[in-house]
Amino acid sequence: MTKNKYSQVIAGTMTWGKWGKQLDQKEYINLMHHCINNQITTFDHADIYGDYTTEAEFGNAFAESNIDRDQIQLISKCGIEYIGNARPQLKVKHYNYSKDYIIWSTEQSLKNLKTDYLDLLLLHRPSPLLQVDDVAEAVTTLKQQGKIKEFGVSNFTPSQTNLLTQKIEVSVNQIEFSLTHHTAMHDGTLDAMLLNNIKPMCWSPLGITFKEDTEQTRRIHKQLGVLSQKYNATEDQLLLSWILKHPANITPVVGTTNSNRLSGAIAATKINLELEDWFLILVASQGHKVP
């Protein structure tokens, strides 16, 4: 199976709409074109983004954008039933992975995104009540109908993923991973993906580096400041290049709507950190030398 069908950096759309910048249709269209012009052709969605509104906003803009569907890849996620204006009848946020709900959610995403198929459908988070046979039946049906090309998971552990792979192919696992949240390197998550030919994608690839002022982030900024001169790169580019050097071939999902930062993100794919520099950055995060 081809694992490089997605762009080297993925545009995450969670903050494009109601949960973030509240872009208007023209801004959606301009941002889509900017991404594509900078080799970012994959767009990451979830049905719940913007309280179930962002997919439709994106889809309406896409329909007016003159962008060829074959030029882009669309990812969406299902399974979280989210309490908000769209579903006021819910008593509690929960996960729903019944066969009918997975199929219905996917069809809603297709309708909202104004497309006939998703390149990738992900289960958004693992549920303790997940029935593997239900998921397998839903995914098989959706694939046979041409409504999804690939299936994967998000935030699943290796054992949770293995339960599914007994019945159906899992192509992708989208996890949280960054310099400040790198447990997946040590707990077997990335090893399992390498072993099983599962493509890792990661959300929040910059971690807390620019969000919090702590001893850890100050150490990181100090080290990145030194290396920025050496590589003629910004700190966020170095953080992405640190992820990209991992042998699991992790693809970062970048959530910014800033066009300059998006251009910078794709430029990070050209940076090849030297071995010791990669470890210098790791040590800055950990605050101690490696064992």
Side-chain angles (χ1 to χ4, degrees):
M1 170 169 290
T2 303
K3 293 294 179 184
N4 296 320
K5 58 188 69 178
Y6 309 103
S7 51
Q8 289 179 286
V9 171
I10 294 171
T13 64
M14 188 176 79
T15 63
W16 287 30
K18 184 176 175 181
W19 284 359
K21 297 299 183 180
Q22 302 183 47
L23 304 180
D24 61 29
Q25 186 171 102
K26 183 179 180 182
E27 289 170 326
Y28 264 93
I29 293 171
N30 289 341
L31 195 53
M32 288 181 208
H33 280 289
H34 180 80
C35 287
I36 293 168
N37 291 338
N38 285 273
Q39 292 81 53
I40 299 174
T41 59
T42 306
F43 297 88
D44 179 76
H45 291 268
D47 55 356
I48 65 169
Y49 290 168
D51 189 8
Y52 299 96
T53 63
T54 302
E55 282 186 331
E57 291 176 357
F58 184 99
N60 290 335
F62 171 60
E64 300 295 324
S65 68
N66 295 317
I67 294 169
D68 186 344
R69 176 64 181 90
D70 293 336
Q71 197 178 1
I72 64 171
Q73 303 82 46
L74 295 176
I75 300 169
S76 196
K77 310 176 198 75
C78 73
I80 298 177
E81 291 237 52
Y82 178 82
I83 298 176
N85 294 330
R87 300 187 183 182
Q89 76 281 8
L90 297 177
K91 296 188 290 288
V92 64
K93 178 185 175 184
H94 63 280
Y95 309 126
N96 188 342
Y97 290 124
S98 68
K99 176 184 175 181
D100 289 346
Y101 186 79
I102 293 171
I103 292 172
W104 178 82
S105 293
T106 304
E107 290 173 343
Q108 288 297 118
S109 290
L110 295 177
K111 190 183 302 180
N112 288 333
L113 290 166
K114 301 287 195 293
T115 184
D116 296 327
Y117 66 94
L118 294 175
D119 295 271
L120 176 63
L121 172 70
L122 302 176
L123 303 187
H124 204 153
R125 285 191 177 273
S127 170
L129 299 181
L130 185 145
Q131 296 278 357
V132 174
D133 287 340
D134 285 356
V135 175
E137 288 177 20
V139 170
T140 299
T141 298
L142 290 167
K143 282 189 171 183
Q144 288 174 344
Q145 294 175 345
K147 292 176 180 175
I148 66 172
K149 289 191 172 182
E150 285 196 321
F151 166 72
V153 295
S154 183
N155 305 298
F156 274 53
T157 66
S159 60
Q160 290 164 340
T161 307
N162 288 343
L163 282 172
L164 285 168
T165 58
Q166 303 307 306
K167 296 290 179 76
I168 195 144
E169 182 178 15
V170 175
S171 299
V172 169
N173 189 2
Q174 188 179 120
I175 60 172
E176 182 177 8
F177 186 77
S178 65
L179 179 63
T180 58
H181 188 96
H182 52 67
T183 53
M185 287 195 311
H186 308 297
D187 65 8
T189 300
L190 289 173
D191 298 336
M193 284 192 251
L194 275 166
L195 278 169
N196 295 294
N197 198 29
I198 295 172
K199 168 76 179 169
M201 296 176 180
C202 73
W203 55 273
S204 194
L206 302 183
I208 64 166
T209 303
F210 300 103
K211 294 178 181 176
E212 297 182 19
D213 180 21
T214 65
E215 287 187 19
Q216 180 191 33
T217 58
R218 286 193 287 272
R219 288 194 307 266
I220 291 169
H221 285 303
K222 183 177 180 181
Q223 183 60 70
L224 294 179
V226 174
L227 293 175
S228 289
Q229 298 178 32
K230 177 176 179 177
Y231 289 94
N232 189 27
T234 60
E235 291 189 11
D236 52 329
Q237 286 175 322
L238 290 174
L239 290 171
L240 293 176
S241 67
W242 185 87
I243 291 170
L244 292 164
K245 193 171 179 68
H246 193 279
N249 191 27
I250 308 163
T251 301
V253 179
V254 177
T256 184
T257 58
N258 182 297
S259 57
N260 290 332
R261 289 185 66 187
L262 284 163
S263 303
I266 203 68
T269 64
K270 308 299 182 190
I271 299 170
N272 183 19
L273 288 175
E274 293 178 11
L275 181 67
E276 286 191 88
D277 291 340
W278 189 91
F279 278 97
L280 280 171
I281 294 171
L282 175 63
V283 168
S285 174
Q286 292 181 331
H288 58 78
K289 64 184 179 180
V290 297

